[in-house]
C-alpha cells in the first residue's frame, strides 16, 4: 500500500514568498543567517550517539511563539510561520566545501531518490502498511531544519526520510556511529551515505567529527535527530536529550516534530522483521520555533510534549485501545 498523505489544519495558508525569517519567535525580523553559540550546541549535540550503533541516532505545539509575544503582537506568530516558506530561507547559507559538499550533491540526491522512493518503498510496503499524516506547513518549509522524532525501530531513519515530501527530504542527513558504519569497509559507508545522506558521529568520547551537525545546518542541510538517544526498549517514549533543541536555537532553524506510531509494535528490539504487515503511521506536526530566551532544555521539553501529543492523537486509530501514559517512565 502506498503511503497515504493527509493534511491537518486545511484552512491554514502559507505565503509562498513571505517576509524575512526572524532567528527567534518575537525577535526583530531580518534575513536569517546562521549564528549563535556553536560550540555550546556542539558540546550537547555531538554527545548523543546511540550506544547500540544503529543508523539515525544523532541526538544532538503547534504554537509557534510564546503567549507573551502573541499578546503584544497578535499577528507576529502568523508572520513567523508564513516566513518559513519564504524564498530567502532557501538562500543565504554558507557555501559547502570539502566533505560538506557531498551532502548537497545533486547526483547523490538523485541516487538517494531511487534508493529511498523506489527500492526502499517497495521493501516497506512488503513489511508494513505505511501511512503518513502531515501538517500542511511542513510542505512549505524552505531551507534547513531539525527533524525530531521518537525512536521505535531500526527502520525509523529511512521511513522518516521517505515519508517527507521530496522538496524537504532530498538533503535530509542522519547521524550514524562512525565505528560501525564508516570504518568497516566501503559497502556500509556507501549504503548510509546514499540512503541516509549520513554523517559520522564519534562514540566513546572521540571528537574527530565534532561540530558536523551544526556545520551541515549552516550550509543548508536539514538533519534528523532521535533525542531519546536510542531505540525504545518498552514501547514507551523516554525523556528527550536537549541536543537537537540546542542546535535549532544556535543556528536559528525550525524544528519539525514527528511521531512514529506502531513502529515499536511492528519491530521491537530483538525482532528482525515485522509480521503480517502491521500498520505504521508517521505523523508530522506543525514546525516549531524557540521562544525568546527559551533554553535548550525548555525547548526540548516542549518538543517532546508535542511529539507525545501527536503520538497519542493517532494511537487509537492505528493500534486500537487507549494510549499508554508514558509520563511516569519519562
Amino acid at each position: 500500500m502506498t503511503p497515504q498523505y493527509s493534511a491537518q489544519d486545511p484552512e491554514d495558508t502559507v505565503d509562498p514568498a513571505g517576509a524575512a525569517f526572524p532567528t527567534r519567535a518575537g525577535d526583530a525580523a531580518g534575513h536569517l543567517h546562521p549564528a549563535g553559540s556553536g560550540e555550546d550546541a556542539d558540546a550537547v549535540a555531538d554527545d548523543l550517539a546511540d550506544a547500540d550503533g544503529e543508523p539515525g541516532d544523532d541526538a544532538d505545539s503547534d504554537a509557534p511563539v510564546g503567549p507573551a509575544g502573541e499578546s503584544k503582537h497578535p499577528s507576529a506568530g502568523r508572520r513567523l510561520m508564513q516566513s518559513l516558506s519564504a524564498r530567502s530561507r532557501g538562500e543565504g547559507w554558507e557555501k559547502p566545501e570539502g566533505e560538506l559538499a557531498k551532502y548537497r550533491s545533486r547526483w547523490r540526491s538523485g541516487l538517494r531518490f531511487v534508493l529511498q522512493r523506489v527500492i526502499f518503498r517497495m521493501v516497506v510496503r512488503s513489511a508494513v502498511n505505511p501511512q503518513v499524516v502531515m501538517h500542511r506547513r511542513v510542505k512549505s518549509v524552505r531551507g534547513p531544519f531539525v527533524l525530531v522524532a521518537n525512536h521505535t525501530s531500526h527502520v525509523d531513519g529511512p521511513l522518516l526520510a521517505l515519508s517527507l515530501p521530496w522538496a524537504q527530504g532530498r538533503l535530509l542527513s542522519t547521524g550514524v556511529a562512525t565505528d560501525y558504519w564508516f570504518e568497516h569497509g566501503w559497502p556500509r559507508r556507501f549504503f548510509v551515505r546514499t540512503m541516509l545522506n549520513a554523517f559520522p558521529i564519534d562514540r566513546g568520547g572521540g571528537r574527530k567529527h565534532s561540530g558536523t551537525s551544526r556545520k551541515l545546518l549552516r550550509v543548508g542541510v536539514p538533519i534528523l535527530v532521535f533525542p531519546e538517544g536510542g531505540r525504545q526498549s518498552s514501547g514507551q517514549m523516554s525523556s528527550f536529550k536537549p541536543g537537537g533543541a540546542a542546535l535549532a536555537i544556535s543556528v536559528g532553524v525550525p524544528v519539525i516534530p514527528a511521531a512514529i506510531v506502531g513502529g515499536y509494535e511492528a519491530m521491537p528490539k530483538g525482532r528482525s522483521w515485522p509480521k503480517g504487515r502491521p500498520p505504521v503511521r508517521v505523523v508530522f506536526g506543525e514546525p516549531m520555533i524557540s521562544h525568546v530566551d527559551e533554553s535548550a532544555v525548555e525547548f526540548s521539553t516542549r518538543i517532546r510534549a508535542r511529539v507525545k501529543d501527536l503520538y497519542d492523537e493517532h494511537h487509537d486509530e492505528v493500534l486500537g485501545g487507549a494510549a499508554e501514559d508514558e509520563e511516569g517512565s519519562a
Side-chain angles (χ1 to χ4, degrees):
M1 177 177 178
T2 303
Q4 299 177 351
Y5 292 82
S6 63
Q8 299 174 349
D9 197 9
E11 68 276 13
D12 284 346
T13 58
V14 180
D15 182 2
F21 179 71
T23 57
R24 289 293 177 84
D27 285 358
H31 183 70
L32 175 63
H33 289 283
S37 55
E39 293 303 321
D40 291 341
D42 292 339
V44 178
D46 290 334
D47 191 33
L48 300 179
D50 182 3
D52 64 6
E54 62 188 0
D57 292 332
D58 179 28
D60 263 307
S61 66
D62 271 334
V65 297
E70 290 179 348
S71 62
K72 293 179 181 178
H73 306 286
S75 62
R78 184 68 173 177
R79 290 199 305 271
L80 176 61
M81 297 311 294
Q82 286 177 337
S83 69
L84 293 177
S85 63
R87 191 176 303 278
S88 60
R89 279 234 348 117
E91 305 168 352
W93 300 92
E94 295 178 0
K95 181 180 179 180
E97 298 179 351
E99 284 293 310
L100 293 178
K102 296 179 180 179
Y103 295 91
R104 293 189 61 92
S105 167
R106 290 188 177 183
W107 79 263
R108 287 174 182 267
S109 65
L111 178 58
R112 192 158 51 250
F113 180 90
V114 175
L115 289 175
Q116 283 185 3
R117 309 284 161 141
V118 180
I119 298 176
F120 186 73
R121 190 184 297 276
M122 291 190 294
V123 173
V124 169
R125 288 183 201 167
S126 70
V128 300
N129 177 11
Q131 305 163 8
V132 178
V133 176
M134 183 176 304
H135 193 286
R136 66 179 303 155
R137 283 188 172 131
V138 173
K139 300 179 181 180
S140 299
V141 172
R142 294 179 184 239
F145 54 86
V146 179
L147 176 61
V148 174
N150 59 320
H151 200 2
T152 65
S153 73
H154 278 300
V155 298
D156 289 349
L159 183 62
L160 285 161
L162 71 83
S163 298
L164 276 173
W166 183 243
Q168 285 70 40
R170 69 184 184 88
L171 298 179
L172 183 69
S173 182
T174 304
V176 301
T178 304
D179 56 337
Y180 185 83
W181 292 103
F182 281 82
E183 296 179 352
H184 285 276
W186 70 265
R188 289 188 186 182
R189 184 170 60 251
F190 178 80
F191 173 77
V192 293
R193 283 279 199 191
T194 52
M195 173 68 83
L196 300 174
N197 204 23
F199 64 92
I201 296 178
D202 299 312
R203 298 189 294 179
R207 304 294 293 175
K208 180 180 179 181
H209 300 98
S210 176
T212 302
S213 52
R214 177 172 62 92
K215 292 174 184 176
L216 288 171
L217 288 173
R218 289 175 65 91
V219 298
V221 176
I223 65 170
L224 168 60
V225 167
F226 292 113
E228 292 172 278
R231 285 177 296 154
Q232 297 168 4
S233 59
S234 63
Q236 296 182 339
M237 194 181 302
S238 303
S239 59
F240 279 16
K241 298 178 182 178
L247 280 169
I249 292 173
S250 173
V251 185
V253 297
V255 168
I256 296 179
I260 301 173
V261 185
Y264 175 82
E265 289 75 10
M267 205 169 84
K269 277 189 175 182
R271 183 179 299 175
S272 58
W273 193 255
K275 299 179 180 180
R277 296 189 70 242
V280 177
R281 181 175 297 181
V282 179
V283 187
F284 295 99
E286 184 175 16
M288 302 173 66
I289 303 294
S290 61
H291 296 162
V292 176
D293 298 327
E294 186 174 28
S295 70
V297 172
E298 292 169 338
F299 190 27
S300 181
T301 299
R302 190 158 59 90
I303 294 169
R304 184 193 183 279
R306 183 54 185 143
V307 173
K308 177 69 163 57
D309 286 344
L310 293 172
Y311 181 90
D312 289 348
E313 289 167 9
H314 293 266
H315 179 278
D316 289 4
E317 185 176 350
V318 176
L319 300 173
E324 296 183 15
D325 180 9
E326 300 170 355
E327 299 305 320
S329 63

